[in-house]
Structures are given as C-alpha cells and as structure tokens.
Amino acid sequence: MRKKIVAGNWKMHKNAEQTEDLLNELIAKIPAELDAQVIVAPTFINLSSAVDHLEFTSIAVAAQNMHQAESGAYTGEISADMLKSVGVNTVILGHSERRAIFHETDALIASKVDTALTHDMTVIFCFGEELKDRQSKNHFNIVENQLKDGLFHIQAKNWEKIVLAYEPVWAIGTGETASPEQAQEMHEFIRETVRKAFGSDVAEDVSILYGGSVKPDNAKEIFSKPDVDGGLIGGAALKAEDFIAIVTAI
C-alpha cells in the first residue's frame, strides 16, 4: 500500500542556525500521530546536523542531489557513500532546476538513479513538462518520455525504493496555475504509464507527489485527489507555519 508523503525541498536556503530553528519548529508542531511520512531536504552542509537533530523524531532527511560516480576527481560533488555515511538514505533526483539550470539529461539522471539504488537509497524522482509543452499539448508525451528514459530501465523489485514527484514546471513561478483536476489528470496518466510497464502491483504501490506550488490554501483539495499521494514542497517548506499546514492537510 502506497505511502502519503510530504517532502520539503529547501533548495539553497537556510544557514546552520536557520536550519536548526526551522527544524525545532517542525519538531514542536508537526502532529506525532500524523499518518504520513514527512521529509526535509536542507542544503548539503546542513544534512549531517539535520540527521542528528531529527534522530528521535519521525521526520526523515533527504539530499537535494548527488553525483553518479562512486568517487573521483569531481570537485564540489557529493557521492552516495558520503550521504549514507551521515545517515541520509533518501535523495531527490531530476529536479526541474537541475534539468533546466544545470542541463541534466534523462541519461545522466538514470545513471544517478542506478547509483542510488546500488546504495539502497530511496529516490524521489522528479519530472514534468514546461509551459511550451503544455501549450502545444505535448505534455503527456514529455512526461512519458522522462519517465521511460530516466527510470524504466530499473527492475520491478527496485520500485519499492522509488517515489515519483510530478513537477508541472509551467505552474511554478510563471503566474500560471494548475488546478487540482489537472494534477489528478496527470497523476492518473503517470500511474497508468507505470502500470503498462511494470504491472498493477507496482503502479498501485508507488507514491506520486505533486510539485506544482502547493500552498496551505490549496493543499487539502490537491491531496484529496485519488492519485495524488502528497507533495514536494518548495517555497512553502521554508516557513514552518505554511509547511505544517500543508503537512496536516494530508
């Protein structure tokens, strides 16, 4: 049975002191009886302290990225082994900003997925179409190709380590808005695409998160859709009050 998940991607925000302050607020205010997995993804330099800080809580820690190589002359990069060594067992891969700003390809992301799975890590696999794709009505093809090229090479047994995160890039910071119905339409398509390739068991068990500007005022309606299993939260994850409201909406 698939999990409900709310993950906060902090991106390049929060220094060490600010990270501790936000974590303290989340620890104090997120309900202990919540029937969902809460994940936070601070910057690389604050991962170790976040793991220590959250040790006796139900909040998990994820990395925002990692390199595909085991080690080597890759200045500034972080390996799976390094993440595991500080207690991080989950990594976000293929985020729209990594694809757009750092030009990560489906093939590169696929190699990162392989490395993460080799290290028994959970992967939050991000994908989604841009505004031009939606306007040209090519959005389903884009999403299907990103899934197939970045993820469909893995074995069915590995899907227990995969969380999907659909990011409608056209609805993030563009002034455009994705409706809950549009979110459900795409999530249903994603689940059916997985079903065709890997069968009903995998499709029904995989969690599909929505990453299109979830906020406290729309979270409950979005999360109520049958194929939306939670959210990958950006800006709202940086404010304790907003993130807690989204978490409790699940």
Side-chain angles (χ1 to χ4, degrees), residues 13-204:
H13 297 286
K14 305 293 182 184
N15 62 26
E17 183 179 356
Q18 293 165 340
T19 294
E20 185 173 335
D21 289 344
L22 180 50
L23 291 177
N24 283 337
E25 286 193 77
L26 298 182
I27 292 169
K29 297 178 181 178
I30 288 178
E33 69 280 4
L34 189 71
D35 188 25
Q37 173 68 71
V38 178
I39 301 171
V40 294
T43 61
F44 277 131
I45 64 169
N46 292 317
L47 287 175
S48 182
S49 61
V51 170
D52 291 343
H53 212 72
L54 297 170
E55 182 178 4
F56 299 107
T57 76
S58 60
I59 303 172
V61 179
Q64 298 176 21
N65 184 40
M66 64 166 224
H67 199 273
Q68 67 274 19
E70 294 292 341
S71 61
Y74 303 103
T75 300
E77 293 294 331
I78 304 293
S79 71
D81 183 63
M82 293 172 184
L83 294 176
K84 294 277 289 189
S85 72
V86 297
V88 175
N89 298 300
T90 301
V91 61
I92 299 170
L93 296 177
H95 191 277
S96 59
E97 290 162 359
R98 299 296 312 178
R99 293 175 184 266
I101 300 171
F102 300 100
H103 310 293
E104 292 195 0
T105 63
D106 290 330
L108 175 64
I109 296 162
S111 68
K112 291 186 176 189
V113 169
D114 291 342
T115 300
L117 293 176
T118 297
H119 286 265
D120 198 32
M121 298 183 74
T122 294
V123 173
I124 300 177
F125 181 88
C126 302
F127 57 101
E129 80 279 13
E130 297 181 10
L131 182 58
K132 66 180 187 297
D133 305 314
R134 173 68 61 157
Q135 291 174 332
S136 65
K137 301 188 184 304
N138 196 38
H139 47 297
F140 289 118
N141 288 333
I142 293 294
V143 164
E144 182 176 7
N145 288 337
Q146 287 180 341
L147 274 172
K148 288 182 175 179
D149 293 343
L151 202 58
F152 276 22
H153 64 286
I154 68 173
Q155 297 180 42
K157 66 180 182 180
N158 293 134
W159 276 84
E160 66 182 12
K161 289 291 186 178
I162 301 296
V163 174
L164 300 178
Y166 166 62
E167 297 182 284
V169 184
W170 56 277
I172 304 173
T174 63
E176 299 286 335
T177 303
S179 69
E181 289 72 28
Q182 286 174 313
Q184 167 57 23
E185 179 186 43
M186 183 57 84
H187 279 233
E188 183 178 17
F189 171 79
I190 292 164
R191 202 175 301 283
E192 183 58 28
T193 301
V194 174
R195 189 189 319 278
K196 289 177 181 177
F198 293 94
S200 293
D201 288 346
V202 169
E204 290 304 317

